[in-house]
């Protein structure tokens, strides 16, 4: 990326903080492409060094977002400050200094860190010693809504829990159990770690297979081996040990422990499954380098115009972070232009219009930190909200926006869980669009974006994504969109001045329009009865 791009982007973004509109534009909030493009170009520039968590580029990004919010005349979302501190622990496992080993049948398994298994502390503690029994707990799920409990009949305090990822699979008799082919939150590895902590376990070892995880072992290796991982440093922490093992390692472990892994997997598909103690232990010392890092969410507010409804808020969110600088040679900057300079830039362009044409309820523009590290910024916000969740109407999240071109449809998967589904259709129809057909959520996408931390706490929430019915040159547009897969989380995710941003502007406009419908509605939207997240707002 050229340095001239940086200078021109910054100049343009400042010049266009208050865009000029046609005389009749005062009646509508119309998202402008020029400021959106300028913000996108700057946020994705080399100057911000990939907006890494705990890195200089992340600090620069926060300062930029804060300055832009001030320039737009937005109100600080945290008292007199636009910043909400998020205390994060950086953890880097030190396998060479650790003596941790799995033992079965009285003998240690011949396995190596990275190749066969990975582990890390889940509680931001540098040193742990283990002498703990292993217990197989099937899928590791407690789901009252499915009348399912993999932990029944056994006290698992201090144990190392071995479990599968994903959900119990649908059957001919129960084709819709655990959402049929779609993944539920119970199937996500994050849930498995959370539930193990609630059970008082000393640790978790997940069994990896590519079909159940939806990605290969290399993804685990890249995320857990030789890199710093981040977790929240305050609140409810995880179990002392969190980790994964390959399917081959699991088979060797179960065989040495006198168990048939395939038979236990089959048993775990049934509701009457009970935990199975293994003749195996985790022994030794685990060491990690741990540091504390203060990061920031950036929150800016457009106050509502209604004397009563202004005390309620609609929150638009996007994560400002990406993967930062990594490596020592070649291109070391993971610019994250699409993921997620696009969403962050869109929020700035939307905020300018919301400020110019406010709604009855207040509107918050929230740029969250450390999404790439496990939705940490949004989790921190949800646990210590700047606006009471009981008075938060909805959260509309933007992540990786359409850089290809305008579409006839828009993605709102997850909106159907709540009364937002009807409003989403209304907003689309008003723009001459339709809601994109829903697909089975095989990889659990609903649970992997920042909106989910709001949903877990009772706030109707979902992410808005690009449609797939491209207006201009559909086949070429689809090919261009699909080609992004090779750039995802790579140094090649860079801004391109030739991008057609009509689709990005369209998505931003749709999101603002939907938010304004919510902000001007007579009452707060609710979850549909019976949905797993239909709980009172905390």
């Amino acid at each position: 990326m050229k340095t001239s791009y940086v200078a021109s982007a910054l100049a343009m973004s400042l010049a266009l903080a208050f865009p000029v509109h046609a005389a009749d534009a005062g009646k509508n909030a119309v998202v402008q492409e020029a400021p959106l493009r300028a913000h996108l170009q700057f946020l994705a520039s080399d100057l911000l060094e990939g907006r890494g968590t705990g890195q200089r580029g992340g600090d620069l990004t926060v300062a930029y977002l804060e300055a832009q919010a001030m320039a737009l005349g937005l109100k600080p979302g945290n008292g007199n400050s636009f910043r909400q501190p998020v205390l994060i622990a950086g953890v880097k496992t030190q396998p060479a200094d650790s003596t941790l080993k799995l033992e079965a049948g009285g003998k240690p398994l011949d396995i190596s860190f990275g190749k066969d298994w990975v582990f890390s502390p889940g509680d931001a503690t540098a040193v742990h010693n283990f002498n703990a029994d292993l217990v197989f707990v099937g899928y590791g799920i407690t789901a009252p809504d499915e009348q399912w409990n993999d932990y029944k009949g056994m006290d698992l305090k201090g144990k190392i829990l071995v479990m599968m990822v994903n959900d119990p699979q649908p059957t001919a008799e129960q084709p819709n159990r655990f959402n049929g082919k779609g993944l539920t939150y119970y199937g996500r590895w994050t849930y498995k770690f959370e539930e193990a902590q609630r059970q008082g376990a000393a640790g978790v070892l997940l069994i990896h297979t590519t079909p159940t995880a939806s990605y290969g072992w290399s993804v685990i290796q890249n995320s857990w081996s030789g890199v710093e991982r981040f977790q929240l440093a305050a609140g409810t922490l995880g179990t002392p040990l969190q980790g994964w093992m390959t399917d081959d390692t699991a088979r060797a472990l179960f065989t040495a422990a006198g168990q048939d892994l395939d038979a236990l997997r089959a048993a775990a598909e049934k509701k009457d499954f009970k935990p199975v103690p293994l003749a195996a232990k985790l022994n030794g010392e685990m060491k990690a380098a741990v540091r504390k890092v203060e990061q920031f969410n950036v929150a800016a507010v457009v106050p509502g115009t209604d004397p009563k409804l202004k005390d309620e808020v609609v929150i638009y969110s996007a994560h400002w972070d990406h993967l930062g600088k990594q490596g020592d040679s070649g291109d070391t900057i993971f610019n994250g232009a699409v993921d997620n300079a696009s969403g962050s830039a869109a929020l700035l362009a939307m905020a300018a219009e919301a400020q110019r044409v406010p709604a009855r309820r207040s509107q918050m523009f929230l740029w969250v930190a450390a999404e790439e590290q496990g939705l940490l910024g949004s989790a921190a916000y949800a646990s210590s909200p700047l606006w009471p969740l009981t008075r938060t109407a909805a959260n509309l999240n933007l992540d990786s926006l359409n850089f290809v071109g305008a579409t006839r449809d828009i993605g709102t998967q997850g909106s159907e869980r709540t009364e937002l589904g009807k409003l989403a259709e209304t907003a689309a129809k008003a723009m001459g669009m339709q809601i994109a057909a829903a697909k089975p959520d095989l990889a659990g996408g609903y649970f992997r974006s920042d909106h989910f931390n709001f949903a877990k706490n009772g706030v109707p929430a979902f992410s808005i994504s690009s449609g797939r019915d491209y207006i201009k040159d559909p086949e070429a547009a689809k090919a261009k969109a699909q080609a992004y897969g090779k750039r995802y989380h790579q140094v090649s995710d860079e801004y391109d001045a030739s991008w057609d941003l009509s689709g990005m502007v369209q998505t931003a406009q749709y999101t603002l329009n939907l938010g304004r419908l919510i902000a001007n509605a007579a009452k707060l939207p609710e979850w549909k009865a019976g949905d797993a997240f239909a709980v009172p707002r905390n």
Side-chain angles (χ1 to χ4, degrees):
M1 212 165 266
K2 304 298 185 183
T3 55
S4 60
Y5 285 1
V6 176
S8 64
L10 180 56
M12 186 183 298
S13 65
L14 291 173
L16 293 169
F18 295 96
V20 177
H21 299 266
D24 63 346
K27 300 177 182 179
N28 300 298
V30 182
V31 176
Q32 304 295 299
E33 179 178 328
L36 194 160
R37 183 180 289 274
H39 293 308
L40 170 61
Q41 183 173 317
F42 183 72
L43 288 167
S45 69
D46 281 359
L47 184 66
L48 297 191
E49 300 175 346
R51 309 184 306 281
T53 298
Q55 297 183 10
R56 175 177 175 271
D59 295 339
L60 292 173
T61 303
V62 168
Y64 179 78
L65 294 171
E66 183 179 46
Q68 291 299 313
M70 293 174 66
L72 289 171
L74 306 179
K75 302 298 182 183
N78 188 17
N80 294 322
S81 177
F82 289 96
R83 302 186 180 202
Q84 180 188 35
V86 180
L87 187 60
I88 293 174
V91 178
K92 187 174 182 179
T93 304
Q94 298 174 316
D97 298 326
S98 302
T99 60
L100 211 58
K101 58 184 179 293
L102 287 174
E103 297 178 349
K107 297 180 180 179
L109 292 187
D110 183 17
I111 55 177
S112 60
F113 184 88
K115 175 178 174 291
D116 303 300
W117 70 326
V118 293
F119 50 80
S120 179
D123 58 358
T125 301
V127 180
H128 282 294
N129 286 282
F130 295 94
N131 181 23
D133 294 329
L134 271 60
V135 180
F136 177 66
V137 294
Y139 284 101
I141 291 173
T142 298
D145 51 313
E146 294 280 351
Q147 294 82 50
W148 195 279
N149 183 4
D150 285 327
Y151 296 98
K152 54 185 171 290
M154 185 177 292
D155 182 358
L156 295 165
K157 289 184 174 63
K159 308 296 185 184
I160 301 296
L161 308 184
V162 180
M163 64 181 78
M164 304 182 291
V165 292
N166 218 293
D167 298 311
Q169 297 302 293
T171 66
E173 296 77 20
Q174 293 181 291
N176 295 316
R177 76 172 186 175
F178 287 95
N179 198 32
K181 293 182 179 180
L183 189 72
T184 74
Y185 186 58
Y186 299 120
R188 287 280 294 148
W189 59 269
T190 49
Y191 165 82
K192 314 290 185 178
F193 288 155
E194 292 168 1
E195 187 58 39
Q197 188 276 333
R198 288 189 285 266
Q199 296 292 329
V204 183
L205 287 172
L206 302 176
I207 302 172
H208 173 271
T209 71
T210 297
T212 57
S214 79
Y215 41 75
W217 179 251
S218 63
V219 174
I220 304 297
Q221 285 178 306
N222 293 339
S223 299
W224 288 70
S225 301
V227 297
E228 186 176 34
R229 303 178 67 248
F230 292 90
Q231 56 193 250
L232 291 179
T236 302
L237 303 180
T239 56
L241 178 133
Q242 296 176 345
W244 292 72
M245 67 175 79
T246 66
D247 188 57
D248 287 343
T249 300
R251 289 186 180 281
L253 171 67
F254 279 63
T255 298
Q259 297 285 350
D260 183 332
L261 178 57
D262 289 332
L264 290 181
R265 277 177 165 151
E269 295 291 338
K270 299 179 181 179
K271 195 174 291 188
D272 61 359
F273 171 84
K274 293 182 179 180
V276 178
L278 303 175
K281 281 182 171 290
L282 178 76
N283 268 314
E285 185 177 62
M286 176 178 64
K287 290 187 176 183
V290 178
R291 68 176 177 127
K292 299 294 176 64
V293 181
E294 187 178 54
Q295 298 290 270
F296 297 95
N297 294 332
V298 179
V301 174
V302 175
T305 59
D306 187 280
K308 292 183 178 179
L309 295 183
K310 69 179 181 180
D311 291 334
E312 299 172 349
V313 71
V314 174
I315 297 179
Y316 309 93
S317 61
H319 72 90
W320 59 254
D321 66 304
H322 195 54
L323 304 182
K325 294 182 71 174
Q326 299 182 26
D328 300 316
S329 61
D331 188 351
T332 62
I333 297 177
F334 289 73
N335 300 82
V338 174
D339 182 18
N340 187 32
S342 64
S344 293
L347 253 60
L348 284 169
M350 291 160 56
E353 291 304 298
Q355 172 72 356
R356 194 177 61 81
V357 189
R360 297 176 70 197
R361 287 185 176 85
S362 296
Q363 297 172 85
M364 178 185 290
F365 294 84
L366 178 65
W367 293 267
V368 293
E371 185 270 353
E372 301 290 2
Q373 307 301 327
L375 315 183
L376 300 186
S378 56
Y381 180 93
S383 64
S384 298
L386 302 178
W387 204 290
L389 297 184
T390 54
R391 289 190 271 119
T392 299
N395 168 239
L396 304 178
N397 186 61
L398 293 175
D399 194 344
S400 300
L401 302 193
N402 175 7
F403 64 96
V404 177
T407 60
R408 296 181 180 87
D409 57 352
I410 192 78
T412 64
Q413 195 151 354
S415 67
E416 72 282 354
R417 293 173 172 267
T418 72
E419 293 175 350
L420 294 178
K422 290 296 183 182
L423 285 178
E425 292 177 3
T426 299
K429 186 176 181 180
M431 292 180 65
M433 303 166 69
Q434 60 185 11
I435 302 300
K439 293 183 177 180
D441 194 3
L442 301 179
Y446 184 75
F447 317 111
R448 297 167 67 174
S449 289
D450 285 303
H451 70 264
F452 182 59
N453 281 315
F454 289 89
K456 283 200 296 185
N457 288 277
V459 176
F462 67 99
S463 289
I464 296 169
S465 59
S466 169
R468 298 181 290 272
D469 186 6
Y470 294 97
I471 296 172
K472 182 179 178 181
D473 200 351
E475 293 307 314
K478 288 178 182 178
K480 187 175 182 179
Q482 291 171 356
Y484 173 70
K486 294 181 180 179
R487 303 202 308 277
Y488 173 70
H489 280 200
Q490 304 298 318
V491 294
S492 53
D493 183 7
E494 296 186 320
Y495 170 75
D496 186 336
S498 70
W499 280 347
D500 177 354
L501 295 193
S502 60
M504 197 173 295
V505 173
Q506 182 185 48
T507 302
Q509 184 70 63
Y510 173 82
T511 305
L512 184 60
N513 289 355
L514 175 57
R516 289 175 61 81
L517 284 178
I518 300 167
N520 289 323
K523 69 180 188 68
L524 298 181
E526 300 293 343
W527 292 86
K528 288 186 177 178
D531 190 275
F533 300 106
V535 298
R537 291 175 175 86
N538 292 338

